[in-house]
Amino acid sequence: MKTFVTLPTFNEGKNIEPLIREIRRQDPNIGIVVADDDSPDGTWRIVEKISKRDSNVYLLRRTTRKGRGSAGVDAFRFALEQHADVVIEMDADFSHDPKYIPLFLERINEFDLVIGSRAVPLGQDLRKSPARKSITRLSSFYTRFVLGLPFSDCNSGYRCFRRKVLEAVDLDTILSTGPSIVQELLFKAYLLGFSICEIPIVFVEREAGESKLNLKRLLKGFLMVLRLKGFHLLGKLKGSRS
Ligand SMILES: Nc1nc2c(ncn2[C@@H]2O[C@H](COP(=O)(O)OP(=O)(O)OP(=O)(O)O)[C@@H](O)[C@H]2O)c(=O)[nH]1
Ligand SMILES: [Mg+2]
């Protein structure tokens, strides 16, 4: 089973090298693709250096279409081109611990999509700020309510997909260029009838680098969820199972 990990990065220079090392420790053969948006802190340069000694590490240095969502799409596309059977996406700030990779790979044998969830029993959000945790919970509740999704953590960006899910959602038609790609992919996969499960993860505060979430991005995310619902009601949400 050929497996890829996709990592969107923007200014993760302090995290990326130790993170790639940790992922490697979990699985020496896993492909790792980093989709960087020309980070001013030189994250891409670090990845470029690593890719010269590890032929299974790939850098997508993007200089035009920027954003967390479009980086995700480019990385997924790349993994599919490399014949990945399974793709894991995760944040590159150590909030998502690579130690869960073997568990994702075990569960993906039974399900089409596995979500790393902070909101199921044994899952946890260990960030210090009660406000930040409440925003995540509220936003997940909102997504669940508006889109009718039966999942506890609709905002988790730590997930594992079977190839067929990424093919079926039609990456060319993804509307989100920003972080709402997380909700968009989940909604589409759910509507297409794929089997989806949640496994508990402990989500920790990033120690290095800065969060890119701000009020504008949050509001854009809330609006995108409404847009997704509207598109769905009008029958305009693209994607199909073969
Ligand atoms: N390529 C790319 N990656 C991004 C962009 N914005 C965020 N990322 C990456 O997406 C992942 C998640 O972003 P974070 O800033 O940690 O956002 P978050 O996890 O929702 O927020 P925190 O919980 O506060 O960390 C990280 O790996 C970021 O480096 C972007 O515009 N382009
Ligand atoms: Mg983060």
Side-chain angles (χ1 to χ4, degrees):
M1 192 166 71
K2 188 155 186 179
T3 306
F4 263 79
V5 171
T6 61
L7 300 166
T9 57
F10 192 74
N11 286 346
E12 301 292 359
K14 295 200 175 104
N15 293 313
I16 196 67
E17 192 160 19
L19 181 63
I20 289 176
R21 206 180 310 128
E22 275 305 304
I23 295 170
R24 266 280 155 276
R25 238 164 45 90
Q26 300 302 326
D27 186 334
N29 298 316
I30 217 161
I32 300 171
V33 54
V34 179
D36 186 78
D37 278 351
D38 212 15
S39 295
D41 78 346
T43 305
W44 60 272
R45 233 180 243 118
I46 300 170
V47 180
E48 194 175 57
K49 222 173 78 194
I50 300 171
S51 69
K52 283 185 181 143
R53 58 169 197 264
D54 184 337
S55 60
N56 237 345
V57 171
Y58 305 88
L59 167 68
L60 302 180
R61 185 180 165 206
R62 296 147 32 88
T63 50
T64 46
R65 288 174 48 238
K66 302 197 182 203
R68 157 75 182 88
S70 76
V73 167
D74 278 3
F76 289 142
R77 252 197 216 112
F78 180 85
L80 294 181
E81 278 163 21
Q82 298 290 315
H83 312 291
D85 301 302
V86 164
V87 180
I88 295 173
E89 66 165 348
M90 62 193 287
D91 290 352
D93 57 0
F94 273 110
S95 283
H96 296 151
D97 193 325
K99 75 176 181 192
Y100 295 110
I101 288 175
L103 194 57
F104 275 108
L105 295 180
E106 200 186 301
R107 300 294 277 168
I108 203 69
N109 287 315
E110 295 161 60
F111 292 89
D112 299 321
L113 167 53
V114 181
I115 306 170
S117 173
R118 299 163 275 200
V120 290
L122 299 180
Q124 267 182 296
D125 182 347
L126 290 184
R127 284 174 297 178
K128 287 173 217 103
S129 160
R132 190 67 190 81
K133 286 200 278 199
S134 301
I135 290 171
T136 298
R137 269 203 299 270
L138 176 75
S139 158
S140 180
F141 173 77
Y142 167 80
T143 305
R144 214 160 61 209
F145 180 73
V146 174
L147 300 181
L149 295 171
F151 309 109
S152 307
D153 193 344
C154 298
N155 295 351
S156 174
Y158 197 4
R159 306 185 288 196
C160 184
F161 301 86
R162 278 200 203 195
R163 176 185 186 89
K164 63 178 178 183
V165 179
L166 295 177
E167 284 173 341
V169 294
D170 191 356
L171 295 171
D172 292 335
T173 64
I174 295 294
L175 301 168
S176 309
T177 51
S180 56
I181 187 174
V182 169
Q183 290 90 340
E184 182 168 353
L185 286 182
L186 181 60
F187 188 40
K188 281 188 153 187
Y190 175 69
L191 291 176
L192 290 165
F194 286 111
S195 59
I196 303 174
C197 79
E198 293 182 89
I199 57 167
I201 59 158
V202 176
F203 182 92
V204 295
E205 184 111 49
R206 66 156 72 234
E207 283 181 12
E210 277 164 26
S211 169
K212 281 104 218 165
L213 191 74
N214 55 32
L215 188 63
K216 191 173 152 206
R217 284 186 170 186
L218 193 69
L219 292 177
K220 267 178 103 171
F222 276 76
L223 284 177
M224 180 55 85
V225 167
L226 286 179
R227 213 171 140 206
L228 289 169
K229 178 74 177 186
F231 267 61
H232 171 53
L233 291 176
L234 295 170
K236 285 186 173 171
L237 212 56
K238 302 249 170 49
S240 66
R241 287 181 78 161
S242 52

